[in-house]
Amino acid sequence: MSEHLVQASDGGEADSLPLDTAAMRAAAGRLLGPVAELPSCEELEPLTLLYRGNLMLLIPEVEQAAKALSQNDAPRACAMACIGEARMLLNREPGAGLPAQIAHAQHLARCVNALLDHLENQGHLEDTR
């Protein structure tokens, strides 16, 4: 299991549990990838809430890692853009109807994967793919 400890703003470890990045990646794969399946109506809301929670945990981690990079560094700009997208998604309501709600959940899952990719690319995580 790949885990990453959440860091407090003072550089020490926060009073939280480690992030289970492998579980986050696996959960995102539930709606994405070659073995993805459409969720039932009963599964969709918990999945959406899980992805939203994962984003809320990942955003500060990616932001902290990105801010450690040079301001002119392309990976920093990409990570900050991804953070902006994640925040926008957290503020967006899914459309009406099951297809729109599934599309919204898939968008959240893609964003979880993208934030995990940024942490991996910056050397903060082992590859969880």
Side-chain angles (χ1 to χ4, degrees), residues 3-122:
E3 294 181 343
H4 183 67
L5 291 178
V6 178
Q7 298 291 312
S9 60
D10 63 1
E13 288 182 11
D15 293 332
S16 62
L17 298 174
L19 297 179
D20 189 346
T21 57
M24 289 180 180
R25 185 77 76 181
R30 169 76 171 81
L31 290 185
L32 307 172
V35 294
E37 298 175 9
L38 290 179
S40 68
C41 292
E42 296 80 28
E43 296 172 313
L44 186 58
E45 185 177 0
L47 273 176
T48 300
L49 291 173
L50 175 64
Y51 299 145
R52 289 177 54 80
N54 289 343
L55 289 176
M56 289 178 201
L57 292 171
L58 288 167
I59 288 170
E61 287 292 298
V62 174
E63 189 167 39
Q64 180 181 14
K67 286 183 177 180
L69 300 173
S70 168
Q71 285 195 357
N72 297 329
D73 204 354
R76 176 186 172 132
C78 290
M80 296 306 285
C82 190
I83 290 166
E85 175 77 7
R87 287 182 173 142
M88 182 182 68
L89 279 174
L90 289 173
N91 289 321
R92 183 182 297 159
E93 292 292 324
L98 188 60
Q101 292 172 357
I102 291 172
H104 179 71
Q106 288 172 324
H107 202 166
L108 291 167
R110 277 190 218 91
C111 202
V112 167
N113 275 341
L115 289 174
L116 288 168
D117 289 346
H118 285 293
L119 284 176
E120 288 170 8
N121 292 338
Q122 294 173 29

